Amino acid sequence: MTSMTGGQAVVRSLEAEGVSHVFGLIGSAGMEIFDALYESKSVRFIGVRDERTGVHMADGYARASGRAGVFLAGQNGPGATNLVTGLAQAHAAYSPVVALSGSLSSAHIFRDAFQEVDQQSLFKPITKKTLMLTQTARVPEMMREAFRTALSPRRGPVLLNLPRDLLAETTDFAGFEAPHGRQFEGGFTASRELLARAAQLLADARRPLILAGGGVKNSRCHEAVLALAERLDVPVALSPGHGDALPCTHRLYAGQVGPRGNAVASDLARRADVILALGTRLGFNTTFYSYDNLNKDARIVQVEADPATIGRFFPVELGLLGAAADVAADLDALLAQHTPAAEVRAWTAAFVQARAAFLDRRDAEAGTASDPLQPAFLFKTLRDVLPDDTMYTMDAGTLCLQATDNMRYCQPPALFTPLDFGLVGFSYAASLGVKLARPDRTVVSLMGDGGFGMAHSEIGTAVQHGINTVCIVMNNGCWGAEKAYQRDFFGERYIGADVPNPPYDRLAELWGAAGFRADRAADLAATVREAVACGRPAIVDVKVDPAALYSFRRDSFKHRAKA
């Protein structure tokens, strides 16, 4: 038995879980934890400037590492409420974030105490589970439950409220066990009968398509998926935000499908007669819940780890409950003697030719270094300049939405976006977490100027902790999506759309980071190369044509379209 405070027990539990990084913002309710972190030899504390962006760092760390990302909010009340947006984002992305929040002393609850808010109720809708510590002796149990819940399928964020009096209390603890029984990936798959029927559907198809989603990316099973794709000689399209589920250099890689994808991949989905939807919900960003980019007559075989998602948005021929990696491997084994038909080989050869023509056309349409700088030229320059190991974080907003299918994702995982939550202000903070998880990789954040204005205080975190990411601020001086809608559907009645900005390169230098600026297209490539090579936290302020606006959600404004 070892006597220690609740705060010390929290840190011992983190150590037992193998946690190497804790993101957090200091506050009086959690002082016992912070004091214990001071003594820890294995946990590195990363102090942040805002709880919201700190959770984005933990989110990015979790997605890039495959382990839980941990955030510590030291203050109850406002320190806790600032977590809401970050946890809602993690919840939408099924990201295993464990948030520890200081809470009121037990005796003060429901007394209108200083900084009191019902934290238990607040976080329930936006977490996989919200927990409350009720006894100091239960710290190890509750910490194990938080991590177990966050990391078990389907993954998601967990919040544990920690009353300050229980953190200060001293009691005896028997020990802190290393996690066991946590081999969640795989271990369950569909029945042999259903697998055999799915294999036969794929074998009989004449225009087959694999549509891979987050289940492929998050389980890092691209090799199993590519083995199946090669066996069938079938193209693989990706759901939006998961364009890195497979290496983009593979012959069968089609890129993202749907309204936010590319024309070649979307044409495959419109024409395919059998679609293996592997680890994807066929949700909003992939389909907009319509058949505009999906063949209504296609026979869909949907593979998902969550039974509630199978057939939820579109009727399926077969629903296979299982992990994407296991099902892909099982189907490959069942099809070991399969030889693709001539019609299938022709379908795929036509795709390969169309994909090559699309890439050539995309480069040609990007143009040359002329001003004002166009988004397409920026994206081509980044494709040409950035190394193959680059991991990208992106914001919401039209420039980032356009960039998502324009980058090269050579080494999975390589793309981290707000996904269905559509959050602006996510990318830069997330990139810091990604870089700490993968210090061996180049990490580049793409942001609009509006989103960067929400997050640039975290330059201080990057400098303080030596987190050497590169942030490319696509600066067009406006909220681009909304200004495009005002232009296209509201008679150019602009209000609230323009964003005056400081020179972000100079702001970076004031923080102690490396600041770069590209006002001319001719300077862009050399500037980006210099930023990547500088070995410091770097911000590149890129002047983008403010007239290059695009209305992504035209479907939302059909009622205002002119006849």
Side-chain angles (χ1 to χ4, degrees):
M1 301 292 284
T2 303
S3 181
M4 65 181 70
T5 66
Q8 290 171 316
V10 168
V11 175
R12 287 289 298 273
S13 296
L14 292 171
E15 292 170 341
E17 292 285 344
V19 172
S20 59
H21 293 79
V22 169
F23 304 89
L25 202 159
I26 196 167
S28 63
M31 290 304 295
E32 300 288 346
I33 304 175
F34 291 103
D35 188 64
L37 281 170
Y38 182 87
E39 300 291 339
S40 179
K41 300 296 190 291
S42 60
V43 181
R44 181 184 178 190
F45 178 69
I46 306 294
V48 305
R49 306 307 173 105
D50 184 84
E51 289 90 353
R52 168 191 165 172
T53 44
V55 176
H56 298 334
M57 292 181 209
D59 185 353
Y61 181 93
R63 296 198 224 175
S65 68
R67 302 188 298 274
V70 180
F71 185 82
L72 173 57
Q75 195 60 37
N76 55 279
T81 60
N82 282 348
L83 301 175
V84 168
T85 299
L87 288 175
Q89 168 62 72
H91 191 250
Y94 304 105
S95 184
V97 172
V98 173
L100 308 173
S101 179
S103 184
L104 283 177
S105 291
S106 303
H108 292 170
I109 296 174
F110 303 129
R111 288 185 170 181
D112 296 331
F114 178 63
Q115 295 184 326
E116 180 173 7
V117 67
D118 185 355
Q119 294 175 198
Q120 194 70 9
S121 299
L122 178 65
F123 292 105
K124 280 185 177 180
I126 55 169
T127 60
K128 189 176 177 185
K129 184 179 281 189
T130 296
L131 304 167
M132 172 70 79
L133 179 68
T134 56
Q135 296 175 349
T136 301
R138 298 185 68 185
V139 166
E141 172 196 351
M142 301 302 285
M143 290 289 287
R144 284 194 300 270
E145 176 66 7
F147 279 85
R148 185 194 67 79
T149 302
L151 291 166
S152 62
R154 172 179 293 229
R155 292 180 167 194
V158 174
L159 181 122
L160 173 56
N161 288 302
L162 299 164
R164 62 195 304 165
D165 58 314
L166 301 184
L167 295 175
E169 184 178 86
T170 298
T171 193
D172 293 333
F173 294 90
F176 297 84
E177 300 177 6
H180 55 275
R182 296 269 184 88
Q183 193 60 38
F184 294 123
E185 294 297 345
F188 65 99
T189 191
S191 71
R192 303 303 298 179
E193 178 187 353
L194 285 179
L195 284 166
R197 288 174 58 191
Q200 193 62 53
L201 276 171
L202 291 167
D204 292 342
R206 290 299 175 260
R207 298 184 306 281
L209 174 67
I210 296 175
L211 177 52
V216 173
K217 170 179 173 173
N218 295 337
S219 61
R220 314 289 199 258
C221 68
H222 58 277
E223 291 180 355
V225 176
L226 286 175
L228 175 61
E230 290 166 358
R231 176 87 61 195
L232 293 165
D233 193 31
V234 55
V236 186
L238 295 310
S239 62
H242 302 303
D244 60 329
L246 309 177
C248 68
T249 52
H250 195 279
R251 179 180 74 96
L252 298 174
Y253 179 94
Q256 293 184 154
V257 72
R260 293 172 177 173
N262 68 74
V264 173
S266 297
D267 183 64
L268 290 172
R270 292 189 195 101
R271 297 172 56 213
D273 62 349
V274 174
I275 298 174
L276 176 61
L278 192 57
T280 172
R281 294 167 294 152
L282 297 174
F284 175 78
N285 279 331
T286 304
T287 63
F288 280 10
Y289 308 131
S290 79
Y291 283 105
D292 291 347
N293 292 280
L294 199 65
N295 184 1
K296 192 171 185 177
D297 297 321
R299 304 172 82 179
I300 298 174
V301 178
Q302 188 175 12
V303 180
E304 260 290 338
D306 180 359
T309 64
I310 295 177
R312 180 181 179 191
F313 303 122
F314 297 92
V316 299
E317 184 79 11
L318 286 176
L320 303 184
L321 180 64
D326 291 343
V327 173
D330 288 342
L331 290 173
D332 187 43
L334 288 169
L335 292 162
Q337 305 305 315
H338 174 71
T339 299
E343 191 174 346
V344 174
R345 292 196 181 280
W347 156 261
T348 300
F351 151 71
V352 171
Q353 185 177 16
R355 171 76 179 171
F358 165 74
L359 295 179
D360 289 342
R361 186 169 62 253
R362 183 174 70 177
D363 281 349
E365 291 174 353
T368 57
S370 59
D371 297 315
L373 192 152
Q374 299 301 309
F377 180 79
L378 169 61
F379 304 149
K380 180 181 185 302
T381 301
L382 297 180
R383 291 195 298 269
D384 293 343
V385 167
L386 293 174
D388 285 351
D389 76 335
T390 300
M391 303 174 90
Y392 297 86
T393 64
M394 296 191 191
D395 246 32
T398 55
L399 286 174
C400 286
L401 287 172
Q402 291 175 71
T404 305
D405 196 62
N406 269 276
M407 297 299 101
R408 299 178 69 249
Y409 309 116
C410 301
Q411 300 176 20
L415 174 62
F416 307 89
T417 79
L419 299 172
D420 292 356
F421 198 52
L423 178 66
V424 173
F426 166 82
S427 174
Y428 181 61
S431 77
L432 304 186
V434 170
K435 183 66 174 179
L436 287 170
R438 295 299 306 269
D440 56 313
R441 300 272 296 267
T442 305
V443 178
V444 173
S445 164
L446 295 183
M447 296 195 85
D449 50 309
F452 190 65
M454 296 179 176
H456 59 67
S457 63
E458 298 300 351
I459 300 173
T461 300
V463 171
Q464 181 180 2
H465 297 283
I467 310 172
N468 299 334
T469 66
V470 176
C471 182
I472 296 173
V473 183
M474 300 177 286
N475 195 337
N476 61 5
C478 66
W479 297 107
E482 289 68 28
K483 191 165 187 176
Y485 299 142
Q486 289 174 343
R487 179 197 64 190
D488 295 342
F489 301 104
F490 292 87
E492 300 182 355
R493 293 161 58 86
Y494 298 119
I495 180 171
D498 295 314
V499 183
N501 298 302
Y504 283 130
D505 55 319
R506 290 169 58 189
L507 182 65
E509 291 168 355
L510 289 172
W511 277 108
F516 300 89
R517 188 169 194 84
D519 287 335
R520 299 171 57 247
D523 300 331
L524 182 61
T527 302
V528 172
R529 286 193 182 96
E530 188 179 357
V532 171
C534 76
R536 297 166 58 197
I539 308 298
V540 185
D541 193 338
V542 179
K543 186 177 178 61
V544 178
D545 184 2
L549 302 175
Y550 180 77
S551 293
F552 256 103
R553 293 299 313 277
R554 303 188 75 86
D555 60 305
S556 294
F557 297 101
K558 288 179 180 178
H559 63 289
R560 298 194 65 91
K562 295 179 180 178

